């Protein structure tokens, strides 16, 4: 039987063998558990952060995390304070004690922040500008109310209205991470951009928008609007540069030689046969 020799180094991690010997776990889940177990308690435990430290990608990492959670080695709870989603708390166990857990704040398919859903929610009109200089006080109050309304919005409700599924197993943890990183107003803005610009609003389009915001360190709606305007301008420039050139059709008469005949080719008319008049 082949044997292996181990060379122990510093910086090792002490880990119970239970998850490593669990034949119901994939190698991905086992390796992921060992990696998470090696990190300190104050480490940034988010799927998007974990995915940065391997080549698997977000989707594969999310699958491994969900597998550990389903097997009972991981429990994730989402803080919900005053209707605003806060940090998620990850609890790891070397024994599968969280199998079929009942979390303190379970996240259902219809997550709610305590505000009732209405069939005709109030829409924010951003197209109308107040040009009345005598109404500055009311304008400022309206802006404050709008900002407060955006802060109170529930991204899950906005996504449901747009018909985008953010609650499936692979989507939910990633969506919650973006809520934590970008905040409710910016995530809601991304959902509306997806709803307005995508022919068929879906999770893939929304994920691209959210990744773009995070990659450009966008943290406010104003910055997001500026970034969106910049992309639109660049897109217009590319379309103008790549536009096909239309060649005009020349008329039939163009190119024909209408110049007078030269002297060398000119022939005088033959009048020898003409009848002379009688005197």
């Amino acid at each position: 039987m082949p044997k292996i020799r181990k060379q122990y180094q510093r910086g090792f991690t002490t880990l119970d063998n239970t998850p490593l010997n669990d034949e119901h776990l994939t190698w991905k889940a086992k390796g992921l558990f060992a990696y998470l177990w090696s990190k300190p308690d104050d480490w940034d435990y988010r799927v998007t952060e974990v995915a940065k430290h391997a080549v698997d990608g977000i989707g594969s990492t999310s699958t491994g995390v969900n597998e550990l959670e389903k097997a009972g080695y991981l429990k994730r709870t989402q803080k919900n304070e005053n209707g605003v989603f806060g940090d998620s708390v990850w609890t790891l166990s070397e024994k599968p004690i969280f199998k079929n857990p009942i979390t303190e704040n379970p996240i259902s398919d219809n997550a709610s922040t305590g505000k009732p859903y209405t069939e005709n929610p109030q829409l924010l009109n951003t197209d109308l500008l107040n040009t009345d200089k005598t109404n500055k006080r009311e304008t400022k109050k309206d802006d404050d109310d709008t900002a407060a309304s955006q802060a109170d919005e529930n991204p899950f409700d906005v996504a449901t209205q747009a018909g985008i599924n953010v609650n499936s197993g692979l989507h939910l943890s990633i969506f919650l991470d973006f809520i934590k990183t970008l905040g409710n107003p910016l995530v809601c803005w991304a959902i509306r951009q997806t709803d307005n610009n995508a022919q068929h609003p879906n999770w893939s389009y929304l994920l691209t928008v959210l990744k773009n915001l995070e990659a450009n360190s966008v943290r406010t709606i104003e910055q997001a609007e500026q970034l969106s305007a910049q992309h639109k301008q660049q897109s217009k420039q590319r379309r103008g540069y790549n536009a096909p050139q239309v060649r005009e059709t020349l008329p039939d008469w163009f190119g024909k030689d209408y110049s007078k005949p030269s002297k060398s080719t000119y022939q005088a008319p033959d009048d020898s046969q003409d009848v002379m008049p009688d005197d």
Side-chain angles (χ1 to χ4, degrees):
M1 179 183 294
K3 296 183 180 180
I4 185 172
R5 293 181 178 180
K6 302 177 183 178
Q7 294 184 352
Y8 295 97
Q9 306 291 338
R10 293 182 178 181
F12 59 88
T13 298
T14 303
L15 174 64
D16 191 288
N17 289 328
T18 300
L20 300 180
N21 293 328
D22 191 339
E23 297 182 355
H24 296 91
L25 292 179
T26 63
W27 289 113
K28 177 197 299 184
K30 294 178 181 181
L32 183 59
F33 182 90
Y35 179 79
L36 295 175
W37 192 263
S38 69
K39 295 303 177 184
D41 293 346
D42 59 349
W43 194 67
D44 188 1
Y45 289 91
R46 294 181 298 139
V47 173
T48 51
E49 178 61 31
V50 177
K52 294 178 182 178
H53 301 276
V55 297
D56 298 52
I58 294 179
S60 178
T61 303
S62 181
T63 302
V65 170
N66 290 335
E67 182 181 349
L68 290 174
E69 192 170 26
K70 184 178 180 180
Y73 293 97
L74 170 65
K75 180 177 72 172
R76 291 181 293 176
T77 56
Q78 188 73 24
K79 293 181 180 180
N80 190 339
E81 300 177 357
N82 299 324
V84 179
F85 287 99
D87 296 338
S88 60
V89 179
W90 292 28
T91 305
L92 289 170
S93 172
E94 295 173 297
K95 304 290 184 181
I97 63 176
F98 304 124
K99 199 166 186 178
N100 299 323
I102 300 177
T103 59
E104 297 177 0
N105 296 306
I107 302 173
S108 62
D109 288 342
N110 295 319
S112 174
T113 59
K115 293 191 173 184
Y117 172 78
T118 59
E119 294 184 358
N120 298 311
Q122 182 178 1
L123 300 179
L124 300 179
N125 189 345
T126 58
D127 295 331
L128 300 179
L129 298 178
N130 189 344
T131 58
D132 187 359
K133 297 181 180 180
T134 63
N135 200 19
K136 294 182 179 179
R137 182 175 301 176
E138 287 76 3
T139 302
K140 184 179 185 302
K141 182 179 182 300
D142 292 341
D143 293 340
D144 294 340
D145 292 341
T146 299
S149 176
Q150 291 174 344
D152 291 340
E153 282 186 311
N154 181 2
F156 287 93
D157 290 343
V158 179
T160 300
Q161 295 174 23
I164 303 175
N165 179 17
V166 297
N167 293 302
S168 67
L170 294 177
H171 303 169
L172 181 58
S173 58
I174 301 174
F175 189 66
L176 291 173
D177 286 343
F178 276 114
I179 291 176
K180 175 185 175 182
T181 303
L182 302 177
N184 286 9
L186 204 52
V187 172
C188 291
W189 180 90
I191 296 173
R192 290 194 177 91
Q193 285 291 105
T194 302
D195 190 26
N196 294 333
N197 298 326
Q199 185 175 2
H200 302 288
N202 55 70
W203 166 253
S204 298
Y205 194 103
L206 174 61
L207 183 60
T208 301
V209 177
L210 293 172
K211 286 182 178 179
N212 191 28
L213 294 175
E214 186 177 40
N216 288 275
S217 301
V218 176
R219 292 297 180 268
T220 65
I221 294 180
E222 182 180 1
Q223 293 175 347
E225 293 287 357
Q226 293 175 354
L227 181 63
S228 177
Q230 180 181 355
H231 284 180
K232 289 181 180 179
Q233 182 64 25
Q234 293 175 351
S235 178
K236 288 182 180 180
Q237 292 177 353
R238 286 194 297 269
R239 287 197 300 267
Y241 179 79
N242 296 325
Q245 296 182 356
V246 180
R247 300 184 62 180
E248 295 183 0
T249 303
L250 298 177
D252 295 337
W253 53 264
F254 184 83
K256 292 184 178 181
D257 188 6
Y258 287 96
S259 59
K260 294 181 179 180
S262 60
K263 294 182 179 180
S264 60
T265 59
Y266 178 77
Q267 295 181 357
D270 185 8
D271 54 358
S272 59
Q273 302 299 327
D274 293 345
V275 180
M276 298 296 295
D278 296 333
D279 290 339

